[in-house]
């Protein structure tokens, strides 16, 4: 079977006023995680001031085994214990292979949809966002006097697309098309 990698999505709700300490902790744990065999990517979606409150850390590994090794490592367990006093809730995460985390229905146990359906659903969700989000984000960046730079623009546009995909669009979209998706 083709190896499709594995992703863990971690959500941390940080006590008000402790964000700087949490950022320091992220700077400590990030390099350790990236040093583990099979690490592909480490992304942080930070809260939007006065709008969202959770930090979301998305970590990708080449195999589920390598990801599990990281998640169960003594290094991670030690660092989670160290940061727990900053949490309002426990360390919350779920692990999926490939992009399966986009198709997870909280509290439900479904088989993973076939890849071609995942592809069509993801594409049909990202395509309109890739047109609309720049129309919304670029004027905001300009109003906030961000320098015009394709990398800065792409950073904020892609971050907004991922935020909408993971938190708003995919949970509702997959619920709407559940019968077809899991058929």
């Amino acid at each position: 079977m083709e190896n499709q990698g594995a992703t863990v999505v971690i959500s941390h709700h940080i006590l008000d006023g402790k964000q700087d300490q949490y950022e320091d902790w992220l700077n400590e744990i990030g390099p350790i995680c990236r040093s583990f065999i099979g690490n592909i990517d480490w992304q942080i979606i930070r809260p939007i001031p006065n709008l969202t409150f959770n930090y979301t850390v998305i970590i990708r590994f080449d195999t589920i085994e390598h990801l599990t090794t990281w998640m169960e490592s003594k290094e991670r367990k030690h660092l989670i214990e160290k940061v727990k006093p900053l949490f309002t809730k426990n360390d919350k995460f779920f692990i999926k292979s490939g992009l399966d985390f986009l198709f997870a229905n909280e509290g439900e146990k479904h088989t993973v949809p076939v890849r071609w359906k995942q592809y069509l659903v993801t594409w049909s969700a990202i395509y309109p966002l890739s047109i609309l989000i720049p129309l919304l984000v670029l004027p905001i960046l300009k109003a906030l006097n961000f320098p015009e730079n394709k990398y800065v623009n792409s950073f904020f546009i892609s971050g907004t697309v991922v935020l909408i995909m993971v938190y708003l669009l995919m949970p509702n979209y997959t619920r709407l098309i559940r019968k077809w998706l899991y058929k």
Side-chain angles (χ1 to χ4, degrees), residues 117-135:
K117 287 184 178 182
Q118 290 185 42
Y119 166 77
L120 287 177
V121 170
T122 304
W123 184 26
S124 69
I126 288 178
Y127 177 70
L129 291 176
S130 69
I131 294 170
L132 296 173
I133 296 304
L135 298 174

Side-chain angles (χ1 to χ4, degrees), residues 75-102:
E75 293 91 336
R76 181 179 187 279
K77 287 178 182 176
H78 168 75
L79 287 163
I80 290 296
E81 285 302 314
K82 179 178 177 179
V83 78
K84 267 187 181 178
L86 306 181
F87 294 167
T88 60
K89 301 174 184 173
N90 284 335
D91 181 45
K92 180 179 167 186
F93 64 88
F94 61 95
I95 296 174
K96 295 289 180 180
S97 63
L99 288 176
D100 297 345
F101 72 93
L102 291 175

Side-chain angles (χ1 to χ4, degrees), residues 8-12 54-55 57 76 87 89-94 106:
V8 62
V9 179
I10 305 166
S11 180
H12 291 154
N54 284 348
Y55 280 82
V57 181
R76 181 179 187 279
F87 294 167
K89 301 174 184 173
N90 284 335
D91 181 45
K92 180 179 167 186
F93 64 88
F94 61 95
E106 227 174 278

Side-chain angles (χ1 to χ4, degrees), residues 2-3 5 30 36 43-45 47 54 64 70 73 90 93 95 102 123 129 139 141 166 177 181-182:
E2 177 185 331
N3 188 352
F36 268 65
Q43 296 176 341
I44 302 164
I45 301 172
N54 284 348
I64 192 78
W70 162 246
S73 70
N90 284 335
F93 64 88
I95 296 174
L102 291 175
W123 184 26
L129 291 176
L141 293 177
V166 171
I177 62 170
L181 189 61
Y182 294 101

Side-chain angles (χ1 to χ4, degrees), residues 44 46 150-160:
I44 302 164
R46 288 174 171 80
K150 67 181 179 181
Y151 300 109
V152 171
N153 294 347
S154 293
F155 175 79
F156 285 104
I157 290 168
S158 64
T160 304

Side-chain angles (χ1 to χ4, degrees), residues 7-124:
T7 302
V8 62
V9 179
I10 305 166
S11 180
H12 291 154
H13 192 278
I14 306 304
L15 290 167
D16 196 30
K18 301 292 184 181
Q19 290 80 5
D20 288 343
Q21 288 174 280
Y22 182 76
E23 289 284 343
D24 291 343
W25 178 82
L26 285 173
N27 290 332
E28 181 180 358
I29 194 170
I32 296 169
C33 175
R34 288 189 291 272
S35 74
F36 268 65
I37 294 171
N39 180 272
I40 295 173
D41 195 16
W42 162 281
Q43 296 176 341
I44 302 164
I45 301 172
R46 288 174 171 80
I48 299 168
N50 303 317
L51 184 62
T52 61
F53 305 97
N54 284 348
Y55 280 82
T56 302
V57 181
I58 302 170
I59 306 170
R60 292 182 10 193
F61 275 79
D62 60 351
T63 66
I64 192 78
E65 291 79 17
H66 287 147
L67 176 57
T68 302
T69 299
W70 162 246
M71 293 302 291
E72 294 176 357
S73 70
K74 67 180 187 312
E75 293 91 336
R76 181 179 187 279
K77 287 178 182 176
H78 168 75
L79 287 163
I80 290 296
E81 285 302 314
K82 179 178 177 179
V83 78
K84 267 187 181 178
L86 306 181
F87 294 167
T88 60
K89 301 174 184 173
N90 284 335
D91 181 45
K92 180 179 167 186
F93 64 88
F94 61 95
I95 296 174
K96 295 289 180 180
S97 63
L99 288 176
D100 297 345
F101 72 93
L102 291 175
F103 297 90
N105 286 325
E106 227 174 278
E108 290 186 31
K109 299 267 186 199
H110 279 293
T111 57
V112 176
V114 294
R115 291 284 171 203
W116 68 268
K117 287 184 178 182
Q118 290 185 42
Y119 166 77
L120 287 177
V121 170
T122 304
W123 184 26
S124 69

Side-chain angles (χ1 to χ4, degrees), residues 138-183:
L138 294 177
I140 292 170
L141 293 177
K142 188 172 186 160
L144 295 172
N145 294 320
F146 273 87
E148 287 194 35
N149 179 300
K150 67 181 179 181
Y151 300 109
V152 171
N153 294 347
S154 293
F155 175 79
F156 285 104
I157 290 168
S158 64
T160 304
V161 167
V162 170
L163 179 79
I164 291 170
M165 287 286 292
V166 171
Y167 288 105
L168 303 174
L169 187 60
M170 290 307 279
N172 296 311
Y173 189 24
T174 55
R175 195 174 306 117
L176 181 68
I177 62 170
R178 177 181 11 219
K179 286 183 182 178
W180 173 79
L181 189 61
Y182 294 101
K183 191 174 186 178

